[in-house]
């Protein structure tokens, strides 16, 4: 990718048009709440200082179906003990299955293109039949149903049918290994397992019958297995196909009322430092957080088409599913984002179905940029209103590339949050200008700050990303023994009473944010904290470098920066260019002492680089949970790496 950036170039890339502001959800919400929209900082302060008023208005504005009850928020001595809507009753699935019965609510697509679509009326009937089938298997409120499912309409139906009963949904992607699946759903002892028996990736089919069978045989308390593609025999466990499950006369789903804080989802952390944490999220908290983010920050309108490239294991999958509650249709895609003969495959589909919100990652955008693709010339994208990105910090140069290459008149939003909150701390909005390298604003209702080691709020400095007030989508608990204690230790041990998220961030004087990466992967040469994202920003745009990872290794009471790159040939000239780019883009302190050539970079199943695993392997130690890696064999490149040649 070759983009010329001069130091004096304005950082402003897009400004919202007045018409767009006036027709936005966030403007309508501000009017509804009788609050001025501008300055946004005032609206945000109101949202975190009047928590009961704000979240009550979100419920009303979004038209949440249910009984809100008389109480909204009861503060407590600690953030996790705060109570939200203690008298409310609702059903999450009922809030998804709303609107005109003839509207399209989901498109299904894969590596071969768009394969099907479904209307709300058809989805409701499918949910009703799946719901009745689950009832016949004894599934009731509070039970757990697990999925090893692809991102398609059947998987969506299974999730909604589970939620309609007040039961709990948890899922893994079919590309997980058996141990990776058992490390996750094995913790929560599901009553029923719903599983795909095959999937496709990079135009290659995968049969996972034996993996599903082995998983089922090792799940304690499992009573039934439902297969989505073919038949399977699991000795000692009732097995039936999806068609068998849905072979009944039900046509209209019934909705079991739940309390606001009743469990809906169990999600899992990456598990790269041990057994994945099983995080329990509430029905009401998930719904309210998502309608706020979709409508107020992403401006998802009725009949928009929402897409996020995700598998069913990542938190962006339930985030995508909740788009139904805002009246959007979903694009459900399963497979590789690119074909061997077509890098723009996802954009072909986006044009075909009229995607308005395209959710992706910096890695995917980097792949496109290195190919010199020009989507402006090849695709209409007439309905595209926003590109959303998360999973890693979006580099400033990528902001430029998106506006130069994809579309000029729309808002690009890098967003950041986590599985732990099933949502975001900082986001964009349709009323904020887009500035290169910056996340536009603190999310409404989220008391976000950047605190230094003194616990002082700082601007223009790298510090810990924190949240100082409760919010509805905080976890209920971590599943399993000692869950409450483990939850509090994870996020409140560093600063009692304040959620410390574990991200390294900078708050600008405009109250936008720059994320530098995870605090636990922060480098510290010479006692100066450096975010790994600052190095990736330089390296990832070098044409000869396919992928890279950076970590620190101890040396004489200090730390050396080690950079490992995947490239055809690591020459002296390439190493010199890498160091020059890092020095110019970041600083001399960021320049790695040693650069090694490796064959692969360790990633989680969801595509995140795992610096900790690479460092642990380089130190000659045992990586605690290789099952959480998409490519555990990659670690072989790092063992005894210090004895290998470097440049």
């Amino acid at each position: 990718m070759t983009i010329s950036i001069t130091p004096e170039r304005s950082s402003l890339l897009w400004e919202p048009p007045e018409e767009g502001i006036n027709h936005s959800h966030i403007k309508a919400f501000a009017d509804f709440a009788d609050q001025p929209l501008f300055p946004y900082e005032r609206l945000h302060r109101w949202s975190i200082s009047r928590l009961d008023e704000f979240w009550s208005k979100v419920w009303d504005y979004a038209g949440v179906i249910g009984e809100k009850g008389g109480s909204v928020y009861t503060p407590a001595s600690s953030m996790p003990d705060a109570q939200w809507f203690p008298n409310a009753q609702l059903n999450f699935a009922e809030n998804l299955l709303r609107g005109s019965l003839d509207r399209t609510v989901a498109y299904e697509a894969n590596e071969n293109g768009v394969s099907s679509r479904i209307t709300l009326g058809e989805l409701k009937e499918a949910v009703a039949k799946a719901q009745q089938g689950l009832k016949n298997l004894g599934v009731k409120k509070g039970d757990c149903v697990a999925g090893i499912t692809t991102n398609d309409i059947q998987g969506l139906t299974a999730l909604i049918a589970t939620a309609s009963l007040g039961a709990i949904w948890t899922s893994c992607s079919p590309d997980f290994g058996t141990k990776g699946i058992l490390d996750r759903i094995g913790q929560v002892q599901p009553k029923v397992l719903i599983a795909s028996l095959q999937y496709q990736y990079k135009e290659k089919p995968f049969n996972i019958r034996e993996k599903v069978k082995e998983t089922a045989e090792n799940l304690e308390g499992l009573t039934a297995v439902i297969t989505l593609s073919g038949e399977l025999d699991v000795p000692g466990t009732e097995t039936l196909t999806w068609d068998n499950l849905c072979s009944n006369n039900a046509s209209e789903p019934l909705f079991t009322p739940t309390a606001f804080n009743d469990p809906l989802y169990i999600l899992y952390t990456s598990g790269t430092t041990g057994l994945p944490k099983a995080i329990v999220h509430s029905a009401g908290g998930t719904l309210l957080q998502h309608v706020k983010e979709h409508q107020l920050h992403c401006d998802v309108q009725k009949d928009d088409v929402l897409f996020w490239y995700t598998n069913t294991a990542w938190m962006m999958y339930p985030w995508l599913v909740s788009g139904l509650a805002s009246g959007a249709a979903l694009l459900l895609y399963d497979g590789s984002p690119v074909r061997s003969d077509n890098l723009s495959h996802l954009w072909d589909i986006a044009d075909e179905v009229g995607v308005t919100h395209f959710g992706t990652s910096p890695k995917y955008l980097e792949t496109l940029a290195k190919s010199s693709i020009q989507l402006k010339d090849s695709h209409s994208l007439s309905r595209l209103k926003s590109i959303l990105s998360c999973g890693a910090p979006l580099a400033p140069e990528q902001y430029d590339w998106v506006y130069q290459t994809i579309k000029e008149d729309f808002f690009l939003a890098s967003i950041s949050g986590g599985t732990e909150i099933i949502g975001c701390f900082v986001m964009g909005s349709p009323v904020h200008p887009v500035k290169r390298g910056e996340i536009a604003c603190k999310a409404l209702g989220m008391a976000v700050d950047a605190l230094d080691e003194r616990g002082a709020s700082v601007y223009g400095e790298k510090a810990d990303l924190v949240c100082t007030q409760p919010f509805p989508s905080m976890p209920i608990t971590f599943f399993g023994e000692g869950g409450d204690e483990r939850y509090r230790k994870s996020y409140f041990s560093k600063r009692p009473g304040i959620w410390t998220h574990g991200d390294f961030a900078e708050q600008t004087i405009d109250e936008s944010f720059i994320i530098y990466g995870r605090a636990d992967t922060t480098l510290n040469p010479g006692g100066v904290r450096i975010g790994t994202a600052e190095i990736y920003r330089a390296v990832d745009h070098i044409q000869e470098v396919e992928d890279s990872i950076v970590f620190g290794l101890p040396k004489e009471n200090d730390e050396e920066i080690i950079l490992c790159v995947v490239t055809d040939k690591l020459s002296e000239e390439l190493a010199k260019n890498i160091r020059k780019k890092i020095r110019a883009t970041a600083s001399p302190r960021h320049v790695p002492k040693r650069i090694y050539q490796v064959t692969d970079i360790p990633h989680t199943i969801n595509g995140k680089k795992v610096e900790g695993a690479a460092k642990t392997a380089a130190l000659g130690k045992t990586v605690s949970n290789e099952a959480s890696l998409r490519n555990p064999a990659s670690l072989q490149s790092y063992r005894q790496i210090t004895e290998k040649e470097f440049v």
Side-chain angles (χ1 to χ4, degrees):
M1 177 177 68
T2 56
I3 295 175
S4 175
I5 307 297
T6 56
E8 56 275 355
R9 176 176 177 169
S10 170
S11 65
L12 184 64
L13 297 174
W14 178 82
E15 286 190 280
E18 185 175 352
E19 183 182 3
I21 293 173
N22 290 336
H23 289 91
S24 67
H25 266 305
I26 195 170
K27 172 66 165 63
F29 174 78
D31 293 344
F32 179 79
D34 198 25
Q35 298 292 324
L37 174 58
F38 298 115
Y40 176 84
E41 291 71 28
R42 184 198 180 280
L43 182 65
H44 182 265
R45 285 193 295 272
W46 166 74
S47 76
I48 62 172
S49 60
R50 299 285 187 269
L51 291 171
D52 51 349
E53 291 179 32
F54 171 72
W55 289 105
S56 179
K57 291 294 185 183
V58 171
W59 177 299
D60 294 340
Y61 179 80
V64 171
I65 300 169
E67 297 295 328
K68 186 166 65 172
S71 176
V72 173
Y73 168 62
T74 305
S77 57
S78 67
M79 281 179 68
D81 294 320
Q83 288 189 311
W84 295 97
F85 299 90
N87 303 314
Q89 292 278 297
L90 58 87
N91 182 276
F92 182 81
E94 186 176 14
N95 279 276
L96 300 185
L97 301 177
R98 58 193 301 173
S100 171
L101 294 179
D102 60 358
R103 76 178 182 93
T104 298
V105 289
Y107 300 89
E108 181 180 308
N110 54 38
E111 294 175 1
N112 299 316
V114 179
S115 56
S116 63
R117 62 186 68 196
I118 191 169
T119 66
L120 179 61
E122 292 167 338
L123 181 59
K124 288 185 77 169
E125 183 175 355
V127 167
K129 293 183 181 301
Q131 178 194 73
Q132 184 59 53
L134 290 172
K135 277 184 181 178
N136 294 343
L137 292 175
V139 175
K140 59 187 184 303
K141 180 179 177 180
D143 286 339
C144 182
V145 175
I148 305 173
T149 51
T150 53
N151 186 5
D152 57 20
I153 289 172
Q154 279 188 333
L156 175 69
T157 304
L159 184 159
I160 298 175
T162 298
S164 72
L165 293 168
I168 306 163
W169 176 261
T170 191
S171 58
C172 282
S173 177
D175 54 351
F176 279 42
T178 304
K179 186 177 187 305
I181 295 171
L182 289 171
D183 280 352
R184 290 163 175 79
I185 64 177
Q187 294 185 57
V188 303
Q189 300 177 3
K191 189 169 191 173
V192 171
L193 175 66
I194 301 176
S196 301
L197 299 182
Q198 60 193 33
Y199 70 96
Q200 178 176 303
Y201 192 79
K202 291 187 176 179
E203 301 155 69
K204 180 180 177 182
F206 292 87
N207 186 319
I208 59 168
R209 302 173 68 87
E210 289 306 312
K211 179 163 61 179
V212 171
K213 183 177 179 181
E214 185 180 356
T215 297
E217 289 172 343
N218 285 278
L219 287 176
E220 186 178 340
L222 188 70
T223 62
V225 176
I226 301 160
T227 57
L228 296 177
S229 46
E231 298 181 356
L232 186 71
D233 179 37
V234 181
T237 303
E238 183 177 359
T239 59
L240 63 163
T241 66
W242 179 258
D243 288 343
N244 294 149
L245 180 82
C246 298
S247 181
N248 56 65
N249 296 321
S251 59
E252 189 70 27
L254 303 174
F255 301 106
T256 302
T258 68
F260 188 89
N261 208 44
D262 279 348
L264 168 70
Y265 289 126
I266 300 176
L267 304 182
Y268 306 93
T269 58
S270 60
T272 52
T273 57
L275 199 65
K277 303 180 186 75
I279 303 174
V280 186
H281 283 293
S282 69
T286 299
L287 178 65
L288 220 54
Q289 185 71 273
H290 287 176
V291 294
K292 179 209 72 177
E293 292 179 355
H294 288 157
Q295 295 181 27
L296 306 190
H297 285 278
C298 301
D299 204 38
V300 173
Q301 303 276 352
K302 287 182 179 178
D303 298 323
D304 278 352
V305 180
L306 178 63
F307 166 68
W308 205 289
Y309 178 72
T310 179
N311 61 31
T312 56
W314 193 21
M315 67 145 279
M316 296 314 298
Y317 176 63
W319 193 91
L320 172 65
V321 167
S322 291
L324 294 173
S326 293
L330 312 179
L331 170 58
L332 306 172
Y333 181 87
D334 200 79
S336 171
V338 298
R339 288 176 53 94
S340 58
D341 60 349
N342 184 8
L343 286 179
S344 63
H345 179 59
L346 286 183
W347 298 99
D348 296 344
I349 294 169
D351 249 353
E352 181 178 345
V353 305
V355 164
T356 56
H357 297 74
F358 189 103
T360 186
S361 67
K363 181 63 179 175
Y364 173 70
L365 296 177
E366 176 200 328
T367 299
L368 296 183
K370 285 184 174 179
S371 74
S372 301
I373 198 168
Q374 289 289 327
L375 292 169
K376 276 184 183 178
D377 299 335
S378 57
H379 292 73
S380 161
L381 303 177
S382 58
R383 295 199 68 208
L384 185 66
K385 299 195 296 188
S386 180
I387 288 181
L388 308 163
S389 174
C390 75
L394 192 63
E397 293 81 3
Q398 291 183 294
Y399 283 72
D400 296 297
W401 180 85
V402 165
Y403 280 100
Q404 291 172 8
T405 309
I406 300 179
K407 194 171 182 177
E408 294 175 3
D409 185 20
F410 77 133
F411 79 93
L412 169 64
S414 182
I415 66 178
S416 184
T419 300
E420 306 92 330
I421 66 169
I422 203 166
C424 302
F425 284 122
V426 289
M427 304 189 73
S429 95
V431 302
H432 278 83
V434 175
K435 297 181 180 179
R436 64 189 307 267
E438 297 181 9
I439 300 177
C441 62
K442 302 173 184 178
L444 292 173
M446 309 298 276
V448 180
D449 209 339
L451 301 186
D452 66 12
E453 291 304 311
R454 302 168 299 154
S457 177
V458 292
Y459 289 81
E461 297 179 25
K462 296 164 189 170
D464 284 329
L465 182 73
V466 304
C467 190
T468 60
Q469 294 282 2
F471 49 93
S473 67
M474 294 171 64
I476 300 172
T477 188
F478 287 177
F479 191 92
E481 187 177 350
D484 287 352
E485 181 183 353
R486 288 185 286 119
Y487 163 37
R488 290 165 195 256
K489 183 179 179 182
S490 293
Y491 303 107
F492 299 100
S493 59
K494 185 170 183 178
R495 296 181 178 89
I498 293 176
W499 179 294
T500 300
H501 191 56
D503 278 351
F504 197 35
E506 176 187 338
Q507 185 172 205
T508 75
I509 58 173
D510 295 320
E511 299 208 352
S512 60
F513 271 77
I514 301 168
I515 305 295
Y516 291 103
R518 296 293 296 169
D520 55 8
T521 62
T522 298
L523 306 169
N524 200 30
V528 178
R529 297 176 80 190
I530 291 173
T532 55
E534 298 171 272
I535 296 174
Y536 295 137
R537 171 188 166 186
V539 178
D540 287 352
H541 305 304
I542 297 173
Q543 193 74 30
E544 298 91 335
V545 176
E546 270 184 58
D547 205 351
S548 63
I549 197 164
V550 64
F551 52 88
L553 289 181
K555 184 175 183 183
E556 298 173 1
N557 300 316
D558 199 356
E559 185 176 59
E560 274 190 341
I561 297 177
I562 307 297
L563 175 65
C564 300
V565 297
V566 178
T567 184
D568 289 340
K569 179 173 175 53
L570 180 58
S571 62
E572 293 278 356
E573 183 180 353
L574 177 57
K576 182 179 178 180
N577 185 33
I578 289 171
R579 290 188 170 101
K580 181 181 177 182
K581 290 273 189 185
I582 293 172
R583 185 178 289 107
T585 306
S587 81
R589 287 189 179 274
H590 292 73
V591 176
K593 294 293 183 185
R594 288 177 269 166
I595 302 177
Y596 293 94
Q597 181 175 350
V598 294
T599 57
D600 203 358
I601 303 298
H603 288 88
T604 66
I605 297 291
N606 296 327
K608 294 184 179 182
K609 299 180 185 186
V610 191
E611 290 99 339
K615 178 177 179 176
T616 300
L619 290 169
K621 299 179 181 178
T622 301
V623 177
S624 60
N625 200 356
E626 293 188 14
S628 292
L629 299 179
R630 182 180 67 198
N631 52 344
S634 65
L635 295 177
Q636 196 58 40
S637 293
Y638 302 86
R639 297 189 171 102
Q640 290 92 42
I641 197 169
T642 55
E643 299 172 13
K644 300 174 183 177
E645 286 189 18
F646 64 90
V647 182

